[in-house]
Amino acid sequence: MPPDPRWRELAVPHRAIGSDRPVRARRLLVRITALSVLVLVAVVVVGGWAARREAEDESVTAAADRTEILADAVVQPALQDGVLDGDPAALVALDDVVRQHVLGDDVARVKVWSRDGRIVYSDEQRLVGQQFALDDEELEAFDEHFTGAEVTDLDEPENVYERDQGKLLEVYHPVVTPDGTELLFETYGPYDRVTERRSEIWRGFSAITLGSLVVLLLVLLPVVWQLLRRLERHQEHRERLLQQALSASDTERRRIAGSLHDGPVQELAGVSFVVSGAAQRARDDGDTAMGDQLDEVASAVRAGMGGLRSLLVEVYPASLSATGLDAALHDLATGLDGRDVVVELDLDADVVRRLSDDDAQLVFQVVRECLRNVAKHAAARRVRVSVATARRPGTGAVTRVEVADDGTGFDVDAVLADPAPGHLGVLLLRDVARRHGAGLAVRSEAGAGTTWRLDVVA
């Protein structure tokens, strides 16, 4: 079932978002190490790919340079004018030079082309005299006098005798006969040389890069560990201060509540009894008017005493620690009943009884703050407070507390963004819930009341 969009989540239970526990150095160090390993792998993979591409380009360039040197320094000086016409002596002279100085591990085949696509010489005699169409790059090499290189297409008919030699790299460079006729000198070398060079560079790059990153990581780990330990100590110190502040606040509330109960409340109770007795004696003496006035005074004293007792419940309810959350919530409801607001309590006794002391204190604080907001701002006539078990997606069973009123409602986003003076209750509720690890949501519409929902993880 999709969530109701009218609800505004202010705090989410811890188990719904993973862990919101305090930072622990060891846990963070493991995460940082794992992330660093992922970065290492990514750098090696990406860098290795770039290095292999660079190595491949370097190998092709080296083959092109080698062919260009062979063409200019070895083949071109051995060319004779009779090569183009198939003169046997010229072809034998060229063949001797090719076999002695060109063919080898890096060159498996040699072809010399004329501009019209005729093979005027090859170390494979069956190709000599055959004619094939030159591609655009080869024709451009004639015109621009540059060296070209590409992977051999073994499916082409002129490469029929190279098909059993595996993947080849062909490199071509123009040469000139003594009478100025341009020919195209072409070599075919095993592509394995490119692959081997690529692998060599990749291995070297990977070793250097991986080693450098590992050393960097080993240097950084102690520093990171110290920073994390310092962060952990600061957090523990902050938590101790917060706990001390809460304990001090709780102690101070107890002291104030005790002082009010044992001092002004008892004194007002005594004054009430004295004034009531004086009123009765005045009537017995026949002074009815004085008796009525003293009764009014006694009523005013009792009303003030009732107000102080309601304040005692809000400051620190004795019933919360003495008789439990159920009685404390009833005391809160009684305090609001005196302000012409009907409070309806719907409490699951088993759920309330199972709450820990900390959870009970949280529930009481949230309900108390919600009821305060109702009394101050909502102009409500009726409030319903419920405590029951509910199921929350991603968290499981939770203790759900809802406080719903029929008041004027408010703009949640506006209050969160810019709370008006005296309207800090929403922010306080959010902070209390987050600190406890509980979920808190609110739903409010103008003229349709407000509903608060607190989810306490079991």
Side-chain angles (χ1 to χ4, degrees):
M1 183 176 180
D4 189 338
R6 294 175 298 173
W7 285 101
R8 172 66 185 274
E9 293 279 356
L10 303 180
V12 184
H14 288 341
R15 287 214 304 253
I17 59 174
S19 175
D20 195 28
R21 293 172 293 179
V23 173
R24 292 291 178 257
R26 191 179 304 277
R27 185 184 307 116
L28 271 182
L29 188 62
V30 171
R31 292 179 180 176
I32 291 174
T33 303
L35 181 60
S36 300
V37 171
L38 290 177
V39 172
L40 288 177
V41 172
V43 169
V44 170
V45 171
V46 175
W49 174 82
R52 294 180 68 175
R53 288 291 301 273
E54 182 64 25
E56 187 170 356
D57 292 342
E58 178 187 320
S59 299
V60 171
T61 301
D65 292 342
R66 181 174 58 250
T67 298
E68 184 173 349
I69 292 173
L70 289 173
D72 293 338
V74 178
V75 174
Q76 184 164 297
L79 286 176
Q80 299 178 19
D81 293 332
V83 169
L84 191 61
D85 299 326
D87 180 16
L91 292 176
V92 169
L94 178 59
D95 187 63
D96 289 341
V97 171
V98 168
R99 294 186 184 279
Q100 291 179 22
H101 302 292
V102 178
L103 293 177
D105 294 336
D106 295 328
V107 178
R109 174 77 68 234
V110 171
K111 298 174 185 176
V112 178
W113 301 76
S114 63
R115 182 181 286 271
D116 59 3
R118 182 167 57 90
I119 299 178
V120 299
Y121 167 79
S122 174
D123 62 290
E124 172 54 62
Q125 295 296 323
R126 289 172 291 182
L127 289 173
V128 177
Q130 295 193 43
Q131 189 167 1
F132 306 95
L134 294 176
D135 59 31
D136 294 338
E137 288 78 11
E138 291 170 326
L139 291 175
E140 187 177 358
F142 272 110
D143 298 330
E144 303 295 335
H145 202 80
F146 69 85
T147 303
E150 59 187 35
V151 176
T152 302
D153 185 356
L154 295 176
D155 292 331
E156 293 294 331
E158 67 269 22
N159 301 319
V160 63
Y161 300 114
E162 288 82 58
R163 291 172 184 171
D164 59 347
Q165 300 186 37
K167 188 175 182 180
L168 298 174
L169 177 69
E170 61 182 58
V171 184
Y172 42 86
H173 181 78
V175 291
V176 182
T177 64
D179 64 0
T181 302
E182 286 189 326
L183 301 175
L184 193 66
F185 170 67
E186 187 173 47
T187 64
Y188 293 75
Y191 201 82
D192 293 344
R193 296 290 182 269
V194 176
T195 305
E196 290 172 3
R197 180 56 181 161
R198 181 178 63 187
S199 299
E200 289 175 3
I201 293 182
W202 180 81
R203 286 193 297 268
F205 170 85
S206 299
I208 294 174
T209 303
L210 184 60
S212 301
L213 291 176
V214 169
V215 170
L216 178 61
L217 179 61
L218 292 177
V219 171
L220 289 179
L221 279 180
V223 178
V224 173
W225 174 257
Q226 292 179 3
L227 292 176
L228 292 177
R229 286 295 301 159
R230 183 174 298 179
L231 174 62
E232 189 178 50
R233 288 194 295 270
H234 281 310
Q235 187 169 28
E236 291 173 352
H237 179 64
R238 182 179 62 83
E239 290 175 353
R240 286 196 299 271
L241 291 179
L242 178 60
Q243 187 60 45
Q244 291 171 4
L246 293 175
S247 299
S249 176
D250 185 70
T251 301
E252 185 64 15
R253 288 200 306 270
R254 287 174 182 262
R255 187 189 66 77
I256 294 173
S259 298
L260 287 174
H261 182 272
D262 297 335
V265 171
Q266 298 301 326
E267 291 172 0
L268 287 176
V271 170
S272 174
F273 287 130
V274 171
V275 173
S276 295
Q280 186 60 45
R281 286 194 298 274
R283 289 192 182 89
D284 292 342
D285 293 339
D287 193 348
T288 304
M290 179 60 71
D292 291 342
Q293 290 178 357
L294 290 175
D295 279 338
E296 291 178 1
V297 173
S299 296
V301 171
R302 286 193 293 272
M305 188 170 59
L308 281 176
R309 283 174 174 165
S310 297
L311 180 61
L312 284 177
V313 171
E314 294 189 9
V315 172
Y316 192 86
S319 55
L320 184 58
S321 57
T323 58
L325 178 63
D326 192 311
L329 293 180
H330 277 87
D331 287 344
L332 285 178
T334 301
L336 205 60
D337 284 338
R339 302 179 186 180
D340 297 327
V341 180
V342 177
V343 181
E344 177 187 349
L345 294 178
D346 182 11
L347 310 178
D348 187 321
D350 291 335
V351 175
V352 172
R353 187 168 50 251
R354 288 196 300 267
L355 288 173
S356 66
D357 291 342
D358 288 342
D359 291 343
Q361 183 71 37
L362 171 68
V363 172
F364 177 80
Q365 290 176 344
V366 171
V367 173
R368 179 181 62 190
E369 191 62 40
C370 289
L371 294 182
R372 281 178 178 173
N373 288 338
V374 170
K376 291 180 181 179
H377 312 297
R381 295 189 301 273
R382 183 175 297 276
V383 182
R384 181 177 181 273
V385 179
S386 64
V387 179
T389 298
R391 297 199 65 82
R392 183 184 179 103
T395 305
V398 296
T399 297
R400 175 160 293 175
V401 181
E402 288 194 353
V403 180
D405 67 67
D406 60 355
T408 56
F410 66 97
D411 187 336
V412 179
D413 292 331
V415 170
L416 287 174
D418 186 21
H423 289 69
L424 298 177
V426 176
L427 301 178
L428 293 175
L429 286 173
R430 182 189 62 186
D431 292 343
V432 168
R434 286 179 175 176
R435 186 166 60 243
H436 194 88
L440 183 67
V442 61
R443 182 180 65 191
S444 186
E445 298 178 12
T450 301
T451 301
W452 289 92
R453 186 179 69 196
L454 175 73
D455 287 342
V456 181
V457 180

